[in-house]
Amino acid sequence: MARSADERLLGPPVVSPTVTVAGIGAAAARAVLAPAGSARRLAQIALPVALLGWLVFAPMRPPFSAAGFGWWAGLASGCLTISGLLLLARVDWRCGIGRLAQTAALSACLVALLHPAPGDRTALIALTICALGLWAAALVPDLADLRDRPEMLPWRSRLYRLAALRWHGSARQWLAWERACRALALAGLLAAFALQTDLALTLAGLGDRSDTLLPVVLVVGAVLSGAGLIAALAAALRRQPGFDGFVTGRHLDILGRLILALGLAGLYCHVTEAVVAGLYGSPLERAALVERLSGAGAPAFWTLMGVGLLPTQALWVGPARRSPVTLGLVGTLVALGAGAGHVLLVPPPATGYAAALLAEIAGPAALFGLALIAAFRLVPAVSVAEMRGLALLHNRRPIALPGEAAGPPPRAGLAAAFASEAGLVEALRGLGTLDAVPLEAHGPAPMPEAAAALRRDERAVREAALVGGALAGLAFLAAQTLQAPGGLGEIPALAWARLAIPALAAAAAGAALGAGAALARHLRRPTSAPPPDWREVFVLTLVPGTDNPSAGALARRLSALPEKAGRPLALRRAEPVS
């Protein structure tokens, strides 16, 4: 199909024009409830068999290696870094891949926790807490949508009801949810930075390396492997029925450009390192370079170059970037090739570099795949709430709702439906000053304008994150002081500098716990709810009460508003929901 002029200039749309608010929730529910296809059934059989065979026939050594720790920690850091940066920057196209990145980051963290760490594990634990918090917080609106669907199985409905707490999509809840997700994303970025920095310092000590390129190599490799993994998952998701409108060619093209840029940066780092060691290095550095190029480390080094870096250059071609098959293949190779780079950074194992690399690919990768399959059998693979926000922004559709002929009784509550957030805000402006009236706005997507019109503000999440981060950082430093043999005065200055990175990781974990606790506490408060069949439109509700003004009078005022200045689509009576 020929592309339009706008598409040639700006690129493909971030959401298909056929995607609607109602269709997003239905597609997500179908994907969760649908029986497994042939590819998924094959994976559900092959991955456990591979994992069992790896455990049974592995040589007599620890099943998880220190090299694998760096690989899986890098994958987790890269995925969470990409997800956090896109969320904080409010990039539209994150909506199609955000859930994939968050789930992959959490699964990689769980696999990394099984590996022996070459250094301190504080940063990895902090990264796991941040990844779990962001993943769980971002899921709350989607689980509430699944909870309210009549086709949901009873056990699933009970599970989703427990996890979604009292979510009903009010303006205050959306405001707290957005701030919690942003706080968790920032905490995740700090934890990822702390993990990669701590890993670089530890590996520099193990391998007697002091070159300044090592931290850069680790960061570039982590983000590159994360981008490759996200691209592979996005390409696979795009081929699933009903999801091609959520993960469009725009996502594939941008992910391809990101992988290409990071691949060039990785090639630059490794080529520069080899050239500098060959031309200006000491005899020991030159011997290490020869060992890497043609000795025992050659299988891992050339796997890194030929599998992890060189295939990224195929993405210079535009059709290759937009092809799900090509991008998925390159992304998979990039994610696998990153493991070879971490195998090179640790002391050579007794079984050799090649055996260590194959062992990491065989067992932990199968465990990671099983974790992904289990997660996406319970939760949607895309963020329903964020995709609805995109659909409302780009794909407006006329909405017709059946209303009630008579106005609500005087002592009943009121629910007024609107096609958009802008219409609801216009109605609030048309009603004038109603500070004493307990009004609340509800919607299928975040409503910053409605929250401002209702003078809603939610600072508890931000304050809890700051307090939690400060307390956790101070508690970590206090614990290290108590463990010192001679007390505070015997700790050298360099030791305090070395503690800065773990303390930052502890503070990030504390901030994540504080933000998550504040959001959970907020969602436990009783709130009103829109009518069950109005979950996918914007609703203004008046909670019934003895001190409220007549709901019938308010309904007459809303009905008298001009059609283009806030008149609701339909009015209904509403009752309080605890």
Side-chain angles (χ1 to χ4, degrees), residues 256-322:
R257 293 173 187 268
L258 180 61
I259 293 173
L260 176 60
L262 292 169
L264 289 172
L267 282 172
Y268 170 81
C269 291
H270 287 283
V271 171
T272 300
E273 183 182 16
V275 170
V276 170
L279 295 179
Y280 309 107
S282 64
L284 185 61
E285 290 175 336
R286 292 181 181 180
L289 176 62
V290 172
E291 180 74 9
R292 178 175 298 186
L293 295 179
S294 58
F301 177 78
W302 292 112
T303 299
L304 169 64
M305 299 299 292
V307 175
L309 295 177
L310 290 178
T312 62
Q313 303 309 298
L315 301 179
W316 283 102
V317 183
R321 290 195 303 270
R322 292 184 288 271

Side-chain angles (χ1 to χ4, degrees), residues 78-100:
C79 290
L80 198 60
T81 297
I82 293 174
S83 173
L85 287 175
L86 295 180
L87 194 153
L88 291 174
R90 301 182 185 273
V91 179
D92 281 350
W93 60 271
R94 77 179 188 277
C95 303
I97 63 171
R99 180 67 46 75
L100 297 176

Side-chain angles (χ1 to χ4, degrees), residues 359-379:
E360 280 302 318
I361 294 176
L367 186 61
F368 174 78
L370 288 175
L372 285 182
I373 291 176
F376 291 136
R377 289 302 292 168
L378 291 175
V379 301

Side-chain angles (χ1 to χ4, degrees), residues 20-22 24-25 140-142 144-145 149 167-171 174 177 383-393 399 418-421 424 441-447 530 534-540:
T20 62
V21 172
I24 294 170
V140 171
D142 298 356
D145 182 78
R149 293 194 169 272
W167 179 274
H168 290 292
S170 67
W174 279 117
W177 177 79
S383 175
V384 175
E386 293 183 334
M387 289 300 302
R388 282 175 169 170
L390 272 187
L392 289 168
L393 181 63
I399 300 177
F418 299 86
S420 64
E421 181 189 6
L424 189 149
H442 303 265
M447 302 179 292
W534 283 7
R535 302 283 186 183
E536 295 167 350
V537 296
F538 292 88
V539 181
L540 183 65

Side-chain angles (χ1 to χ4, degrees), residues 22-445:
I24 294 170
R30 284 197 303 269
V32 170
L33 294 175
S38 57
R40 182 177 292 176
R41 287 197 298 269
L42 179 62
Q44 289 174 348
I45 296 174
L47 291 177
V49 170
L51 182 61
L52 181 62
W54 173 74
L55 292 174
V56 172
F57 297 105
M60 297 302 294
R61 58 175 178 79
F64 298 100
S65 67
F69 175 88
W71 181 23
W72 291 104
L75 280 171
S77 300
C79 290
L80 198 60
T81 297
I82 293 174
S83 173
L85 287 175
L86 295 180
L87 194 153
L88 291 174
R90 301 182 185 273
V91 179
D92 281 350
W93 60 271
R94 77 179 188 277
C95 303
I97 63 171
R99 180 67 46 75
L100 297 176
Q102 294 159 10
T103 308
L106 179 59
S107 301
C109 282
L110 297 178
V111 176
L113 285 172
L114 300 175
H115 290 72
D120 188 62
R121 299 179 70 89
T122 303
L124 178 61
I125 295 173
L127 188 72
T128 305
I129 292 173
C130 295
L132 177 60
L134 180 58
W135 182 78
L139 272 173
V140 171
D142 298 356
L143 298 182
D145 182 78
L146 294 175
R147 170 199 66 192
D148 298 331
R149 293 194 169 272
E151 67 269 23
M152 200 58 57
L153 299 176
W155 70 270
R156 283 182 178 268
S157 182
R158 288 193 295 269
L159 176 63
Y160 297 147
R161 184 178 297 107
L162 179 65
L165 301 178
R166 290 173 173 171
W167 179 274
H168 290 292
S170 67
R172 191 184 295 274
Q173 287 179 338
W174 279 117
L175 191 60
W177 177 79
E178 281 192 304
R179 292 188 174 176
C181 288
R182 291 175 65 82
L184 289 163
L186 181 57
L189 288 176
L190 295 177
F193 168 79
L195 177 58
Q196 291 303 305
T197 304
D198 184 76
L199 189 61
L201 293 173
T202 302
L203 294 179
L206 290 177
D208 195 22
R209 292 180 56 177
S210 58
D211 55 283
T212 56
L213 270 180
L214 179 58
V216 180
V217 169
L218 286 177
V219 172
V220 170
V223 182
L224 175 60
S225 61
L229 180 58
I230 295 170
L233 294 175
L237 181 63
R238 180 171 165 79
R239 298 178 65 88
Q240 297 297 317
F243 282 92
D244 55 340
F246 304 155
V247 181
T248 65
R250 178 76 170 275
H251 297 89
L252 302 184
D253 185 68
I254 296 178
L255 285 171
R257 293 173 187 268
L258 180 61
I259 293 173
L260 176 60
L262 292 169
L264 289 172
L267 282 172
Y268 170 81
C269 291
H270 287 283
V271 171
T272 300
E273 183 182 16
V275 170
V276 170
L279 295 179
Y280 309 107
S282 64
L284 185 61
E285 290 175 336
R286 292 181 181 180
L289 176 62
V290 172
E291 180 74 9
R292 178 175 298 186
L293 295 179
S294 58
F301 177 78
W302 292 112
T303 299
L304 169 64
M305 299 299 292
V307 175
L309 295 177
L310 290 178
T312 62
Q313 303 309 298
L315 301 179
W316 283 102
V317 183
R321 290 195 303 270
R322 292 184 288 271
S323 169
V325 176
T326 304
L327 185 65
L329 178 60
V330 172
T332 302
L333 292 176
V334 164
L336 293 176
H342 285 280
V343 168
L344 285 172
L345 292 175
V346 298
T351 55
Y353 285 109
L357 180 60
L358 291 176
E360 280 302 318
I361 294 176
L367 186 61
F368 174 78
L370 288 175
L372 285 182
I373 291 176
F376 291 136
R377 289 302 292 168
L378 291 175
V379 301
V382 297
S383 175
V384 175
E386 293 183 334
M387 289 300 302
R388 282 175 169 170
L390 272 187
L392 289 168
L393 181 63
H394 296 286
N395 301 336
R396 295 188 179 275
R397 295 286 191 276
I399 300 177
L401 294 175
E404 294 184 355
R411 293 186 179 179
L414 174 68
F418 299 86
S420 64
E421 181 189 6
L424 189 149
V425 172
E426 287 293 332
L428 289 173
R429 293 172 181 169
L431 290 174
T433 304
L434 292 172
D435 293 337
V437 180
L439 294 174
E440 187 56 87
H442 303 265

